[in-house]
Amino acid sequence: MRSLTRRTIVGSGLAAALSVSPLLRRAEAQSYPQRPVKIIVPYAAGGASDIIARLIAPELERALGQPFIVDNRGGGASMVGTQAIAAASAEGETIGVVDSAFVINPGLFRTKLPYNTKKDFAPISLLATSPLVLVVHPSVAANSLQEFIALAKAQPGKINFASAGLGTAIHLAGEQLRQATEIDILHVPYRGGGPAITDLIGGQVQMTFATVAAIAQQVRQGLVRALAVTGGDRVAQLPDVPTMAEAGLPAVDAMPIFGMVGPAALPPPIIDKLGEVAGKAFRGEPLRSKVAELGFVSVGSSPSEFAARIDDEVAKWTRIVEKGNIQPG
């Protein structure tokens, strides 16, 4: 009887502890954060992910009452900083802003990836996306996307396609175009988008994809010719450039993404709190207009919507990488 009573008491105590746990989590979330929070960006300062992180940081500070400090940790094709996010504590003192490498690397590096993209992170919000512009050198005898495709098919292997580097979002946009149209273009990887655009303007290469922010001015100056933009809508900076769908190629939908994630152990109430603040900020003004001026598209999704987008993007880019037999350098 004594033993039974003791087991009953122990079991009741455990049940009570388990029932209190969600209450404790909610209480922790209500008081979160109690200390400054790091936002890891897995790149050097100045890039698109860094810009997005520095836009959301002050919004989080105002709403949550603690400093949110951008921490740039570049290296290893973004894997160094991304791994640091995965290894962060469950207290939410470290979160991160990731980009398309987050969803490309699982297919590109496969078993060499030091973390599991789907299991080691808590999606918080898809903050923004970035349309890409297909541009060619003015000497290319094509004034539309369909004319470019016809030219590439008539001259297999003669058109050089510049990218920001092997396995980058720019590279895979070109690979997606190549696979969708069955054209034969020669990939020329550069160490960043800037050098690729410089050589495109100089005529050393014939085409590339670029973000709106990186290429709109050169298009307006006539240094390059824009044939189409990815995404569902035309962009305000280049209103005369059709979308890929309008140009007859909806299958080319590459758009870099920028989202906020935390470690997998981050409690759901904290995830929801961060997601609510970030989503509201990117869906509302003045941030929405500011983001558009910079060439991005505001999203501000919920955590569950971002999780679904991650799944879709990983599956899509893994297929592209495998079909193209793309191997990391």
Side-chain angles (χ1 to χ4, degrees), residues 8-24:
T8 302
I9 292 171
V10 172
S12 299
L14 178 60
L18 290 173
S19 66
V20 170
S21 179
L23 297 176
L24 290 174

Side-chain angles (χ1 to χ4, degrees), residues 71-315:
D71 181 2
N72 297 94
R73 299 194 197 181
S78 83
M79 289 186 285
V80 172
T82 306
Q83 187 174 14
I85 301 168
S89 76
E91 296 177 359
E93 293 179 8
T94 298
I95 56 176
V97 169
V98 295
D99 69 350
S100 288
F102 187 72
V103 291
I104 290 172
N105 283 351
L108 185 65
F109 292 98
R110 302 177 180 88
T111 59
K112 296 179 181 179
L113 204 62
Y115 48 78
N116 187 307
T117 302
K118 294 186 180 183
K119 295 181 179 180
D120 293 343
F121 301 90
I124 295 171
S125 180
L126 174 60
L127 303 175
T129 61
S130 178
L132 293 177
V133 189
L134 171 58
V135 290
V136 297
H137 187 265
S139 64
V140 175
N143 291 305
S144 69
L145 178 60
Q146 294 303 324
E147 288 181 359
F148 174 78
I149 294 169
L151 179 68
K153 288 185 175 181
Q155 301 177 0
K158 299 295 185 182
I159 294 176
N160 293 328
F161 156 55
S163 84
L166 190 144
T168 60
I170 299 297
H171 174 201
L172 292 195
E175 181 62 22
Q176 189 182 45
L177 172 69
R178 188 189 69 77
Q179 292 182 16
T181 59
E182 299 182 338
I183 58 176
D184 181 7
I185 52 179
L186 179 64
H187 176 223
V188 182
Y190 285 78
R191 295 179 65 85
I197 292 172
T198 297
D199 272 12
L200 174 67
I201 293 171
Q204 283 80 20
V205 291
Q206 285 74 53
M207 66 151 285
T208 192
F209 279 86
T211 63
V212 175
I215 205 68
Q217 183 176 352
Q218 292 87 335
V219 172
R220 289 192 290 264
Q221 292 174 341
L223 299 175
V224 296
R225 182 184 304 125
L227 301 183
V229 297
T230 62
D233 301 300
R234 296 192 182 197
V235 298
Q237 294 88 339
L238 300 169
D240 296 329
V241 180
T243 66
M244 284 285 176
E246 289 174 331
L249 202 59
V252 178
D253 60 357
M255 287 184 68
I257 63 171
F258 304 92
M260 192 161 64
V261 300
L266 199 61
I270 292 179
I271 296 171
D272 292 339
K273 189 172 188 177
L274 287 167
E276 181 180 1
V277 173
K280 184 178 180 180
F282 269 83
R283 291 192 304 271
E285 297 295 349
L287 195 54
R288 187 179 184 89
S289 294
K290 177 65 175 177
V291 166
E293 289 173 8
L294 294 172
F296 300 98
V297 176
S298 287
V299 180
S301 79
S302 68
S304 61
E305 289 168 339
F306 189 26
R309 180 65 176 266
I310 289 170
D311 288 344
D312 291 344
E313 293 277 324
V314 168

Side-chain angles (χ1 to χ4, degrees), residues 39 52-62 68-70:
I39 304 178
I52 294 296
R54 293 181 190 277
L55 287 173
I56 192 57
E59 302 291 335
L60 294 169
E61 287 182 7
R62 278 192 288 270
F68 278 72
I69 304 161
V70 175

